[in-house]
Amino acid sequence: MTGEDGKRNGEDVPAPLERGYSNSLDESFRLLANYRRRCVLHCLRKNHSLTVSETARQIAAWERDCPLEDISGEAIRQITTNLYHTHLPKLENANLVEFDPSSKRIIACELPSFIATALELCAWEDYGDNSHRN
């Protein structure tokens, strides 16, 4: 139970998630539970703005553990379709990214500290370290 001082059992309690997020931890974890959504966010941490195709190529390389130049056009198309129809709408609705359909660019939004911290922890699990290959 949280006291009037914003503390639970003497410890600071994180503020509710910013920027229109659901106040639900479950929703935040659902967003980060998917590998491809995490990959989109990892890509945007390195490059503030990328095309969907560039993002799909990087995700394909990570999924196949191979260099970017070894990724086929078909792999990029499959992931691009998946991003368009599933993952980008969810990330955009959560205000984690902006998507400009005319330029086909995904633009990073400022991540709430909770999401940024969770994403850092996921990077270790997803890649074995925080270096984000390729």
Side-chain angles (χ1 to χ4, degrees):
M1 186 163 177
T2 304
E4 289 180 34
D5 62 355
K7 296 185 181 271
R8 180 181 297 147
N9 298 327
E11 296 181 16
D12 288 327
V13 177
L17 295 173
E18 307 94 354
R19 298 184 41 154
Y21 284 83
S22 163
N23 205 8
S24 167
L25 280 178
D26 291 342
E27 182 58 27
S28 298
F29 283 119
R30 262 191 294 281
L31 285 166
L32 294 177
N34 183 275
Y35 177 75
R36 285 190 177 169
R37 283 194 292 272
R38 289 192 312 272
C39 285
V40 169
L41 297 174
H42 288 308
C43 287
L44 292 173
R45 287 175 53 214
K46 197 171 191 178
N47 304 290
H48 179 73
S49 173
L50 292 167
T51 67
V52 177
S53 180
E54 291 167 333
T55 306
R57 179 183 294 276
Q58 181 61 71
I59 292 170
W62 283 336
E63 287 180 352
R64 290 159 180 77
D65 195 24
C66 68
L68 290 169
E69 56 272 5
D70 291 349
I71 302 303
S72 71
E74 181 58 27
I76 294 169
R77 277 187 294 282
Q78 288 175 352
I79 293 174
T80 296
T81 299
N82 184 249
L83 293 177
Y84 270 119
H85 294 287
T86 304
H87 303 300
L88 292 178
K90 289 181 182 192
L91 291 170
E92 190 170 40
N93 286 339
N95 296 316
L96 296 177
V97 304
E98 291 178 16
F99 176 61
D100 179 5
S102 62
S103 67
K104 300 180 182 177
R105 293 197 78 73
I106 309 166
I107 303 156
C109 291
E110 184 177 342
L111 298 178
S113 59
F114 170 79
I115 298 289
T117 300
L119 192 59
E120 276 296 320
L121 295 172
C122 292
W124 183 264
E125 184 65 29
D126 290 340
Y127 309 108
D129 64 21
N130 289 329
S131 65
H132 311 306
R133 299 174 307 214
N134 292 340

Coordinates of all heavy atoms in Angstrom, one line a residue, residues 9-88:
N9 N 6.2 0.9 1.9 CA 7.1 0.2 2.8 C 8.5 1.0 2.9 O 9.5 0.4 2.9 CB 7.4 -1.2 2.4 CG 6.1 -2.0 2.5 OD1 5.3 -1.8 3.3 ND2 6.0 -3.0 1.6
G10 N 8.4 2.3 2.9 CA 9.6 3.2 3.0 C 10.4 3.3 1.7 O 11.4 4.0 1.7
E11 N 10.0 2.7 0.6 CA 10.7 2.8 -0.6 C 9.9 3.7 -1.6 O 8.7 3.8 -1.6 CB 10.9 1.5 -1.3 CG 11.7 0.5 -0.4 CD 11.9 -0.8 -1.1 OE1 11.6 -1.0 -2.3 OE2 12.3 -1.7 -0.4
D12 N 10.7 4.4 -2.5 CA 10.0 5.2 -3.5 C 9.2 4.4 -4.4 O 9.6 3.3 -4.8 CB 11.0 6.0 -4.3 CG 11.7 7.1 -3.5 OD1 11.0 7.7 -2.7 OD2 12.9 7.4 -3.8
V13 N 8.0 4.9 -4.8 CA 7.2 4.2 -5.8 C 7.2 4.9 -7.1 O 7.1 6.2 -7.1 CB 5.7 4.2 -5.2 CG1 4.8 3.5 -6.3 CG2 5.6 3.4 -3.9
P14 N 7.5 4.2 -8.2 CA 7.6 4.9 -9.5 C 6.3 5.7 -9.8 O 5.2 5.3 -9.4 CB 7.8 3.8 -10.5 CG 8.2 2.6 -9.7 CD 7.7 2.8 -8.3
A15 N 6.4 6.9 -10.4 CA 5.3 7.6 -10.8 C 4.5 6.9 -11.9 O 5.1 6.0 -12.6 CB 5.7 9.0 -11.3
P16 N 3.3 7.1 -12.1 CA 2.5 6.5 -13.2 C 3.2 6.8 -14.5 O 3.9 7.8 -14.6 CB 1.2 7.2 -13.1 CG 1.0 7.7 -11.8 CD 2.4 8.0 -11.3
L17 N 3.1 5.9 -15.4 CA 3.8 6.0 -16.7 C 3.3 7.3 -17.4 O 2.1 7.7 -17.3 CB 3.5 4.8 -17.6 CG 4.1 3.5 -17.1 CD1 3.6 2.4 -18.0 CD2 5.6 3.6 -17.1
E18 N 4.2 8.0 -18.1 CA 4.0 9.3 -18.7 C 3.4 9.1 -20.1 O 3.2 8.0 -20.6 CB 5.3 10.1 -18.8 CG 6.1 10.2 -17.6 CD 7.2 9.1 -17.4 OE1 7.3 8.2 -18.2 OE2 7.9 9.3 -16.5
R19 N 3.0 10.2 -20.7 CA 2.7 10.4 -22.1 C 1.5 9.5 -22.6 O 1.6 8.8 -23.6 CB 3.9 10.2 -22.9 CG 5.0 11.2 -22.6 CD 6.1 11.0 -23.5 NE 5.5 10.7 -24.8 CZ 6.1 11.0 -26.0 NH1 7.3 11.5 -26.0 NH2 5.6 10.7 -27.1
G20 N 0.5 9.4 -21.8 CA -0.7 8.6 -22.3 C -0.6 7.1 -22.2 O -1.5 6.4 -22.7
Y21 N 0.3 6.6 -21.5 CA 0.4 5.2 -21.3 C -0.7 4.7 -20.3 O -1.1 5.5 -19.5 CB 1.8 4.8 -20.6 CG 2.9 4.9 -21.6 CD1 3.6 6.0 -21.8 CD2 3.3 3.7 -22.2 CE1 4.6 6.1 -22.7 CE2 4.4 3.7 -23.0 CZ 5.0 4.9 -23.3 OH 6.1 4.9 -24.2
S22 N -1.0 3.5 -20.5 CA -1.9 2.9 -19.5 C -1.1 2.8 -18.2 O 0.1 2.7 -18.2 CB -2.3 1.5 -20.0 OG -2.8 0.7 -18.9
N23 N -1.8 3.0 -17.1 CA -1.1 2.9 -15.8 C -0.8 1.4 -15.5 O -0.4 1.1 -14.4 CB -2.0 3.5 -14.8 CG -1.2 4.0 -13.6 OD1 0.0 4.1 -13.6 ND2 -1.9 4.5 -12.6
S24 N -1.1 0.5 -16.3 CA -1.0 -0.9 -16.1 C 0.4 -1.4 -16.4 O 0.9 -1.3 -17.5 CB -2.0 -1.6 -16.9 OG -1.8 -3.0 -16.9
L25 N 1.1 -2.0 -15.5 CA 2.3 -2.7 -15.7 C 2.1 -3.9 -16.7 O 3.0 -4.1 -17.5 CB 2.9 -3.3 -14.4 CG 3.7 -2.3 -13.6 CD1 4.2 -3.0 -12.3 CD2 4.8 -1.7 -14.3
D26 N 1.0 -4.5 -16.6 CA 0.7 -5.6 -17.5 C 0.8 -5.1 -19.0 O 1.4 -5.8 -19.8 CB -0.7 -6.2 -17.3 CG -0.8 -6.9 -15.9 OD1 0.3 -7.3 -15.4 OD2 -1.9 -7.1 -15.5
E27 N 0.2 -4.0 -19.3 CA 0.2 -3.5 -20.7 C 1.7 -3.2 -21.1 O 2.1 -3.5 -22.2 CB -0.6 -2.2 -20.8 CG -0.7 -1.7 -22.2 CD -1.2 -2.7 -23.3 OE1 -2.0 -3.6 -22.9 OE2 -0.8 -2.6 -24.4
S28 N 2.4 -2.6 -20.2 CA 3.8 -2.3 -20.5 C 4.6 -3.5 -20.8 O 5.4 -3.6 -21.8 CB 4.5 -1.5 -19.4 OG 3.8 -0.3 -19.2
F29 N 4.4 -4.5 -20.0 CA 5.1 -5.8 -20.2 C 4.6 -6.5 -21.5 O 5.4 -7.1 -22.2 CB 5.0 -6.7 -19.0 CG 5.9 -6.3 -17.9 CD1 5.4 -5.9 -16.6 CD2 7.3 -6.3 -18.0 CE1 6.2 -5.6 -15.6 CE2 8.1 -5.9 -17.0 CZ 7.6 -5.5 -15.8
R30 N 3.3 -6.4 -21.8 CA 2.8 -7.0 -23.0 C 3.5 -6.4 -24.2 O 3.9 -7.0 -25.2 CB 1.3 -6.8 -23.1 CG 0.5 -8.0 -22.7 CD -0.9 -7.9 -23.1 NE -1.6 -6.9 -22.4 CZ -2.1 -6.9 -21.1 NH1 -1.9 -8.0 -20.4 NH2 -2.7 -5.9 -20.6
L31 N 3.7 -5.0 -24.2 CA 4.4 -4.4 -25.3 C 5.8 -4.9 -25.5 O 6.3 -5.1 -26.6 CB 4.4 -2.9 -25.1 CG 3.1 -2.1 -25.3 CD1 3.1 -0.7 -24.7 CD2 2.7 -2.1 -26.8
L32 N 6.5 -5.1 -24.4 CA 7.9 -5.5 -24.4 C 8.1 -7.0 -24.5 O 9.2 -7.5 -24.7 CB 8.7 -5.0 -23.2 CG 8.8 -3.5 -23.1 CD1 9.5 -3.1 -21.9 CD2 9.6 -2.9 -24.4
A33 N 7.0 -7.7 -24.4 CA 7.0 -9.2 -24.4 C 7.4 -9.7 -25.8 O 7.9 -10.8 -26.0 CB 5.7 -9.8 -24.0
N34 N 7.1 -8.9 -26.9 CA 7.3 -9.4 -28.2 C 8.7 -9.0 -28.7 O 9.1 -7.8 -28.6 CB 6.3 -8.8 -29.2 CG 6.5 -9.4 -30.5 OD1 7.3 -8.8 -31.3 ND2 5.8 -10.4 -30.9
Y35 N 9.5 -10.0 -29.2 CA 10.8 -9.8 -29.6 C 10.9 -8.7 -30.7 O 11.8 -7.8 -30.7 CB 11.4 -11.1 -30.1 CG 12.8 -11.0 -30.7 CD1 13.9 -10.8 -29.8 CD2 13.0 -11.0 -32.1 CE1 15.2 -10.7 -30.3 CE2 14.3 -10.9 -32.6 CZ 15.4 -10.8 -31.7 OH 16.7 -10.7 -32.2
R36 N 10.1 -8.8 -31.7 CA 10.1 -7.8 -32.8 C 9.8 -6.4 -32.3 O 10.4 -5.4 -32.8 CB 9.2 -8.2 -34.0 CG 9.8 -9.3 -34.7 CD 9.1 -9.6 -36.0 NE 9.8 -10.7 -36.7 CZ 9.3 -11.4 -37.8 NH1 8.1 -11.0 -38.2 NH2 10.0 -12.3 -38.3
R37 N 8.9 -6.2 -31.4 CA 8.7 -4.8 -30.9 C 9.9 -4.3 -30.1 O 10.2 -3.2 -30.3 CB 7.4 -4.8 -30.0 CG 6.1 -4.9 -30.8 CD 4.9 -4.5 -30.0 NE 4.6 -5.5 -28.9 CZ 3.8 -6.5 -29.1 NH1 3.3 -6.8 -30.3 NH2 3.5 -7.3 -28.1
R38 N 10.5 -5.2 -29.4 CA 11.7 -4.8 -28.7 C 12.8 -4.4 -29.7 O 13.5 -3.4 -29.5 CB 12.3 -5.9 -27.8 CG 11.4 -6.1 -26.5 CD 12.1 -7.0 -25.5 NE 12.7 -8.2 -26.0 CZ 12.0 -9.4 -26.1 NH1 10.7 -9.4 -25.8 NH2 12.6 -10.4 -26.5
C39 N 12.9 -5.2 -30.8 CA 13.9 -4.9 -31.8 C 13.7 -3.5 -32.4 O 14.6 -2.8 -32.7 CB 13.9 -6.0 -32.9 SG 14.7 -7.5 -32.4
V40 N 12.4 -3.2 -32.7 CA 12.1 -1.9 -33.3 C 12.7 -0.8 -32.3 O 13.4 0.1 -32.7 CB 10.6 -1.7 -33.5 CG1 10.3 -0.2 -33.8 CG2 10.1 -2.6 -34.6
L41 N 12.4 -1.0 -31.0 CA 12.9 0.0 -30.0 C 14.4 0.0 -29.9 O 15.0 1.1 -29.8 CB 12.2 -0.2 -28.7 CG 10.7 -0.1 -28.7 CD1 10.1 -0.5 -27.3 CD2 10.3 1.3 -29.1
H42 N 15.0 -1.2 -30.0 CA 16.5 -1.2 -30.0 C 17.0 -0.5 -31.2 O 18.0 0.3 -31.0 CB 17.0 -2.7 -30.0 CG 16.8 -3.4 -28.7 ND1 17.2 -3.0 -27.5 CD2 16.2 -4.6 -28.5 CE1 16.9 -3.9 -26.6 NE2 16.3 -4.9 -27.2
C43 N 16.5 -0.7 -32.3 CA 17.0 0.0 -33.5 C 16.9 1.5 -33.4 O 17.8 2.2 -33.8 CB 16.2 -0.4 -34.8 SG 16.5 -2.1 -35.4
L44 N 15.8 2.0 -32.8 CA 15.5 3.4 -32.7 C 16.4 4.0 -31.6 O 16.6 5.3 -31.6 CB 14.0 3.7 -32.5 CG 13.2 3.4 -33.7 CD1 11.7 3.6 -33.3 CD2 13.5 4.3 -34.9
R45 N 16.9 3.3 -30.7 CA 17.8 3.8 -29.7 C 19.1 4.2 -30.3 O 19.8 5.1 -29.9 CB 18.0 2.8 -28.5 CG 16.7 2.7 -27.7 CD 16.9 1.6 -26.6 NE 18.1 1.8 -25.8 CZ 18.8 0.8 -25.4 NH1 18.4 -0.5 -25.6 NH2 19.8 1.0 -24.6
K46 N 19.5 3.4 -31.3 CA 20.7 3.6 -32.0 C 20.6 4.7 -33.1 O 21.5 5.5 -33.3 CB 21.2 2.3 -32.6 CG 22.6 2.2 -33.0 CD 22.9 0.8 -33.4 CE 24.4 0.6 -33.6 NZ 24.8 -0.7 -33.9
N47 N 19.5 4.7 -33.8 CA 19.2 5.7 -34.9 C 17.8 6.2 -34.6 O 16.8 5.5 -34.6 CB 19.1 5.0 -36.2 CG 20.4 4.3 -36.5 OD1 21.4 4.9 -36.7 ND2 20.4 2.9 -36.5
H48 N 17.7 7.5 -34.4 CA 16.4 8.1 -34.0 C 15.3 7.9 -35.0 O 14.1 7.9 -34.6 CB 16.6 9.6 -33.7 CG 15.4 10.4 -33.4 ND1 14.8 10.2 -32.1 CD2 14.6 11.2 -34.0 CE1 13.8 11.0 -32.0 NE2 13.6 11.6 -33.2
S49 N 15.6 7.8 -36.3 CA 14.6 7.6 -37.3 C 15.1 6.6 -38.4 O 16.3 6.8 -38.8 CB 14.3 9.0 -37.9 OG 13.5 8.9 -39.1
L50 N 14.3 5.7 -38.7 CA 14.6 4.7 -39.7 C 13.4 4.4 -40.6 O 12.3 4.5 -40.1 CB 15.1 3.3 -39.0 CG 16.3 3.3 -38.2 CD1 16.4 2.0 -37.4 CD2 17.5 3.4 -39.2
T51 N 13.7 3.9 -41.8 CA 12.6 3.5 -42.6 C 12.1 2.1 -42.1 O 12.9 1.4 -41.4 CB 12.9 3.3 -44.1 OG1 13.9 2.3 -44.3 CG2 13.4 4.6 -44.7
V52 N 10.9 1.7 -42.5 CA 10.4 0.4 -42.1 C 11.3 -0.7 -42.7 O 11.7 -1.7 -42.0 CB 9.0 0.2 -42.5 CG1 8.5 -1.2 -42.1 CG2 8.1 1.2 -41.8
S53 N 11.7 -0.5 -43.9 CA 12.6 -1.5 -44.6 C 14.0 -1.6 -43.9 O 14.4 -2.7 -43.7 CB 12.8 -1.0 -46.0 OG 13.6 -1.9 -46.7
E54 N 14.6 -0.5 -43.5 CA 15.8 -0.6 -42.7 C 15.7 -1.3 -41.4 O 16.5 -2.1 -41.0 CB 16.4 0.9 -42.4 CG 16.8 1.6 -43.6 CD 17.0 3.1 -43.4 OE1 16.4 3.7 -42.5 OE2 17.8 3.7 -44.1
T55 N 14.6 -1.0 -40.8 CA 14.3 -1.7 -39.5 C 14.1 -3.2 -39.7 O 14.6 -4.0 -39.0 CB 13.1 -1.1 -38.8 OG1 13.3 0.4 -38.7 CG2 12.8 -1.6 -37.4
A56 N 13.3 -3.5 -40.7 CA 13.0 -4.9 -41.0 C 14.3 -5.7 -41.4 O 14.5 -6.8 -40.9 CB 12.0 -5.1 -42.2
R57 N 15.2 -5.1 -42.1 CA 16.5 -5.7 -42.5 C 17.3 -6.0 -41.2 O 17.9 -7.0 -41.1 CB 17.3 -4.8 -43.4 CG 18.7 -5.4 -43.8 CD 19.5 -4.5 -44.7 NE 18.8 -4.3 -46.0 CZ 19.0 -5.1 -47.0 NH1 19.7 -6.2 -46.9 NH2 18.4 -4.9 -48.2
Q58 N 17.3 -5.0 -40.3 CA 18.1 -5.2 -39.1 C 17.5 -6.3 -38.2 O 18.2 -7.2 -37.7 CB 18.2 -3.9 -38.2 CG 18.9 -4.0 -36.9 CD 20.4 -4.4 -37.2 OE1 21.2 -3.6 -37.7 NE2 20.8 -5.6 -36.9
I59 N 16.2 -6.3 -38.1 CA 15.5 -7.4 -37.3 C 15.8 -8.8 -38.0 O 16.1 -9.7 -37.3 CB 14.0 -7.1 -37.3 CG1 13.7 -5.9 -36.4 CG2 13.3 -8.3 -36.7 CD1 12.3 -5.4 -36.4
A60 N 15.7 -8.9 -39.3 CA 16.0 -10.1 -40.0 C 17.5 -10.6 -39.7 O 17.7 -11.8 -39.5 CB 15.8 -10.0 -41.5
A61 N 18.4 -9.6 -39.7 CA 19.8 -10.0 -39.4 C 19.9 -10.5 -38.0 O 20.6 -11.5 -37.7 CB 20.7 -8.8 -39.6
W62 N 19.3 -9.8 -37.0 CA 19.3 -10.3 -35.6 C 18.7 -11.7 -35.5 O 19.2 -12.5 -34.8 CB 18.7 -9.3 -34.7 CG 19.5 -8.1 -34.4 CD1 20.9 -8.0 -34.5 CD2 19.0 -6.8 -34.0 NE1 21.2 -6.7 -34.1 CE2 20.1 -6.0 -33.8 CE3 17.8 -6.3 -33.8 CZ2 20.0 -4.6 -33.4 CZ3 17.6 -5.0 -33.4 CH2 18.8 -4.2 -33.2
E63 N 17.5 -11.9 -36.1 CA 16.8 -13.1 -36.0 C 17.6 -14.3 -36.6 O 17.6 -15.4 -36.1 CB 15.5 -13.1 -36.7 CG 14.5 -12.3 -35.9 CD 13.1 -12.2 -36.6 OE1 12.9 -12.6 -37.7 OE2 12.2 -11.7 -35.9
R64 N 18.4 -14.0 -37.7 CA 19.1 -15.0 -38.4 C 20.6 -15.1 -37.9 O 21.4 -15.9 -38.4 CB 19.0 -14.8 -39.9 CG 17.6 -15.1 -40.4 CD 17.4 -14.4 -41.7 NE 16.0 -14.7 -42.2 CZ 14.9 -14.2 -41.8 NH1 15.0 -13.3 -40.8 NH2 13.7 -14.5 -42.3
D65 N 21.0 -14.1 -37.1 CA 22.4 -14.0 -36.6 C 23.3 -14.0 -37.8 O 24.3 -14.8 -37.8 CB 22.7 -15.2 -35.6 CG 24.0 -14.9 -34.8 OD1 24.3 -13.7 -34.7 OD2 24.6 -15.8 -34.4
C66 N 23.1 -13.1 -38.7 CA 23.9 -12.9 -39.9 C 24.1 -11.5 -40.2 O 23.4 -10.6 -39.7 CB 23.4 -13.7 -41.0 SG 21.8 -13.1 -41.7
P67 N 25.1 -11.2 -41.1 CA 25.3 -9.8 -41.5 C 24.1 -9.2 -42.3 O 23.4 -10.0 -43.0 CB 26.5 -9.8 -42.4 CG 27.2 -11.2 -42.1 CD 26.1 -12.1 -41.7
L68 N 23.9 -7.9 -42.3 CA 22.9 -7.2 -43.0 C 22.8 -7.6 -44.5 O 21.8 -7.8 -45.1 CB 23.0 -5.7 -42.8 CG 22.7 -5.2 -41.4 CD1 23.1 -3.7 -41.3 CD2 21.2 -5.4 -41.1
E69 N 24.0 -7.6 -45.1 CA 24.1 -7.9 -46.5 C 23.6 -9.3 -46.9 O 23.4 -9.5 -48.1 CB 25.5 -7.6 -47.1 CG 26.6 -8.3 -46.4 CD 27.2 -7.6 -45.2 OE1 26.7 -6.6 -44.7 OE2 28.2 -8.2 -44.6
D70 N 23.5 -10.2 -46.0 CA 23.1 -11.6 -46.3 C 21.5 -11.7 -46.2 O 21.0 -12.8 -46.5 CB 23.7 -12.6 -45.3 CG 25.2 -12.7 -45.6 OD1 25.7 -12.2 -46.6 OD2 25.9 -13.3 -44.7
I71 N 20.8 -10.7 -45.9 CA 19.4 -10.8 -45.8 C 18.7 -10.6 -47.1 O 19.0 -9.7 -47.9 CB 18.9 -9.6 -44.8 CG1 19.6 -9.7 -43.5 CG2 17.3 -9.7 -44.7 CD1 19.4 -11.1 -42.8
S72 N 17.8 -11.6 -47.4 CA 17.1 -11.6 -48.7 C 15.9 -10.6 -48.7 O 15.4 -10.2 -47.6 CB 16.5 -13.0 -48.9 OG 15.4 -13.2 -48.0
G73 N 15.6 -10.2 -49.9 CA 14.4 -9.3 -50.0 C 13.1 -9.9 -49.5 O 12.3 -9.1 -48.9
E74 N 13.0 -11.2 -49.6 CA 11.8 -11.8 -49.1 C 11.7 -11.8 -47.6 O 10.6 -11.5 -47.1 CB 11.7 -13.3 -49.6 CG 10.5 -14.0 -49.2 CD 9.2 -13.4 -49.6 OE1 9.2 -12.7 -50.7 OE2 8.2 -13.6 -48.9
A75 N 12.8 -11.9 -46.9 CA 12.8 -11.8 -45.5 C 12.4 -10.4 -45.0 O 11.6 -10.3 -44.1 CB 14.2 -12.2 -44.9
I76 N 12.9 -9.4 -45.7 CA 12.6 -8.1 -45.4 C 11.1 -7.8 -45.7 O 10.5 -7.2 -44.8 CB 13.5 -7.1 -46.2 CG1 14.9 -7.2 -45.8 CG2 13.0 -5.6 -46.1 CD1 15.9 -6.5 -46.7
R77 N 10.6 -8.3 -46.7 CA 9.2 -8.1 -47.1 C 8.3 -8.7 -46.0 O 7.3 -8.1 -45.6 CB 8.8 -8.6 -48.4 CG 9.1 -7.7 -49.6 CD 8.6 -8.2 -50.9 NE 9.3 -9.4 -51.4 CZ 10.5 -9.5 -51.9 NH1 11.2 -8.4 -52.1 NH2 11.0 -10.6 -52.3
Q78 N 8.6 -9.9 -45.6 CA 7.8 -10.6 -44.6 C 7.8 -9.9 -43.2 O 6.7 -9.7 -42.6 CB 8.3 -12.0 -44.3 CG 8.0 -13.0 -45.5 CD 8.6 -14.3 -45.3 OE1 9.4 -14.6 -44.4 NE2 8.3 -15.3 -46.2
I79 N 9.0 -9.4 -42.8 CA 9.0 -8.7 -41.5 C 8.4 -7.3 -41.7 O 7.7 -6.8 -40.8 CB 10.5 -8.6 -41.1 CG1 11.0 -10.0 -40.7 CG2 10.6 -7.6 -39.9 CD1 12.4 -10.1 -40.3
T80 N 8.6 -6.6 -42.8 CA 7.9 -5.3 -43.1 C 6.4 -5.5 -42.9 O 5.8 -4.6 -42.3 CB 8.3 -4.8 -44.5 OG1 9.7 -4.6 -44.5 CG2 7.6 -3.5 -44.8
T81 N 5.8 -6.5 -43.6 CA 4.4 -6.7 -43.5 C 4.0 -6.9 -42.0 O 3.0 -6.3 -41.6 CB 4.0 -7.9 -44.3 OG1 4.3 -7.6 -45.7 CG2 2.5 -8.2 -44.2
N82 N 4.7 -7.7 -41.3 CA 4.4 -7.9 -39.9 C 4.5 -6.7 -39.1 O 3.7 -6.4 -38.2 CB 5.4 -9.0 -39.4 CG 5.1 -9.4 -37.9 OD1 6.0 -9.1 -37.1 ND2 4.0 -10.1 -37.7
L83 N 5.5 -5.8 -39.3 CA 5.7 -4.6 -38.6 C 4.5 -3.6 -38.9 O 3.9 -3.1 -38.0 CB 7.0 -3.9 -39.0 CG 8.3 -4.6 -38.5 CD1 9.5 -3.8 -39.0 CD2 8.3 -4.7 -37.0
Y84 N 4.1 -3.5 -40.2 CA 3.0 -2.6 -40.6 C 1.7 -3.0 -39.9 O 1.0 -2.2 -39.4 CB 2.8 -2.7 -42.1 CG 3.6 -1.7 -42.9 CD1 4.5 -2.1 -43.9 CD2 3.4 -0.3 -42.7 CE1 5.2 -1.2 -44.6 CE2 4.1 0.6 -43.5 CZ 5.0 0.2 -44.4 OH 5.7 1.1 -45.2
H85 N 1.4 -4.3 -40.0 CA 0.1 -4.8 -39.5 C 0.0 -5.1 -38.1 O -1.2 -5.1 -37.5 CB -0.3 -6.0 -40.4 CG -0.5 -5.7 -41.8 ND1 -1.6 -5.0 -42.3 CD2 0.2 -5.9 -42.9 CE1 -1.5 -4.8 -43.6 NE2 -0.4 -5.4 -44.0
T86 N 1.1 -5.3 -37.4 CA 1.0 -5.8 -36.0 C 1.7 -4.9 -35.0 O 1.1 -4.3 -34.1 CB 1.5 -7.2 -35.9 OG1 0.8 -8.1 -36.7 CG2 1.4 -7.7 -34.4
H87 N 3.0 -4.7 -35.2 CA 3.8 -4.1 -34.2 C 3.9 -2.6 -34.2 O 3.8 -2.0 -33.1 CB 5.3 -4.7 -34.3 CG 5.2 -6.2 -34.1 ND1 4.7 -6.9 -33.0 CD2 5.6 -7.2 -35.0 CE1 4.8 -8.2 -33.2 NE2 5.3 -8.4 -34.4
L88 N 4.0 -2.0 -35.4 CA 4.0 -0.5 -35.4 C 2.7 0.1 -34.8 O 2.8 1.1 -34.1 CB 4.4 0.0 -36.8 CG 5.8 -0.3 -37.3 CD1 6.0 0.2 -38.7 CD2 6.8 0.3 -36.3

